[in-house]
Amino acid sequence: MPLIAKVATSVSKTAAALSRAAGRGDGSVIGGWIGLKIDPDLLAHLASGRAVALVSGTNGKTTTTRLTAAAVGVLGRVATNSFGANMPTGHTSALAREGHTPFAVLEVDEHYLAQVIDATRPKVVALLNLSRDQLDRAKEVAMMAQLWKTTLAGHPEIKVVANADDPMVVWAASASPQTTWFSAGQRWLDDSFVCPESGHPIERAQGEWWCTGCPLRRPRPQWVVEDEGVIDPRGDWHLVKLQLPGKVNIGNAATALAVAGEFGVRPIEALPRLARVASIAGRYAQVDKDGRNIRLLLAKNPASWLEAFDMADQAPTLLSINARDPDGLDTSWLYDVDFSPLRDRPVLITGDRAYDLAVRLQVNQVPFRHVQSFDEALAAVPPGRLEVIANYTAFQDIRAELDRVN
Ligand SMILES: [Zn+2]
């Protein structure tokens, strides 16, 4: 590495450590920011010499990145941004912190994929899904897909691992000559009813989808989720045992196995490592308090709410909604989510925007009770499991409250 990059790396690590010591989070954003101020090419310098995989998409990035890092770890040490700091500052900080590792697996915000590909020259890019995110911030889904498509067309050397079930992802990945397809299902269909190539309607039946006006259709996947396991490209089925809940996470595991497969890792080697992943930056964490087993699920946009309903047990469920800056200020997305799967369980609501949620649940005919605090929620449910589904800052609030009592 050039001298300037060495200096920048050292300063970046010190800044991150100081920030952590001051109790201001994990320090990865400030550390990366300072490093890049000193050496604008620091990310490229730190990535060089490593075999890199990037993981991008609207939902499931953090979990899939963590599982992929575990799987690639079969081969040697892996640097990863496991705290969800998924922009170049976070990548820079993660690579600086880990020192030299032969491998890196990085979660990338979908808007930054082109920039991070240019800096890190990845061997593999995994594309999970594209759906609407925070309404006042995110790009339109079709614009995002176009951006990815253009980027991948300029990098034919990259191996792309992409979700065959998401028409937007398939269209974007079709620009690459080296694509491995996985099928992890697509629960959220509302953002892909229209073909991004020709504008015709997309039809779906028996797990397949196709455009009614052009050749775009679901490619045949090499990695497929089936029952509680995954079929590999040789046709062998592997049982996937995870501590993480839901079919969604078996899909995330299938993606991780497919990416690790591009590095030469076999499922049989990776699976025991996936089984050890318990909680990711507090997500899926289980806390016992007053005889209640509380499980935390993060849901930040319509597609991830549907996924959270899939992961949650049939148990009392607390929903918490805020609309602060990191959440997006507009809560009209509540009407995009079908809350009816919650009708058959006790539902509690809280958060800054509990009343928005109350109206939505009323319209959706889901009975609920409003509580003012997490303690009140705990007191309102019997001993046993309490599922908590919250959006971003609401999730952080509840985590902080639980950390205080533990
Ligand atoms: Zn079409």
Side-chain angles (χ1 to χ4, degrees), residues 311-373:
M311 293 180 208
D313 285 348
Q314 290 280 348
T317 302
L318 172 67
L319 309 176
S320 184
I321 301 273
N322 289 349
R324 301 177 201 163
D325 194 54
D327 307 307
L329 306 177
D330 182 344
T331 58
S332 61
W333 60 266
L334 284 167
Y335 289 83
D336 294 334
V337 178
D338 177 12
F339 286 86
S340 63
L342 301 179
R343 274 178 200 154
D344 50 6
R345 70 187 78 180
V347 173
L348 303 164
I349 65 169
T350 193
D352 298 349
R353 302 298 279 266
Y355 292 137
D356 295 2
L357 187 55
V359 176
R360 174 64 189 127
L361 292 177
Q362 185 91 41
V363 170
N364 226 171
Q365 297 172 306
V366 178
F368 63 89
R369 175 175 160 190
H370 179 220
V371 292
Q372 298 288 352
S373 68

Side-chain angles (χ1 to χ4, degrees), residues 195-202 211-216:
C195 174
E197 178 69 29
S198 67
H200 292 88
I202 284 175
C211 173
T212 52
C214 83
L216 190 73

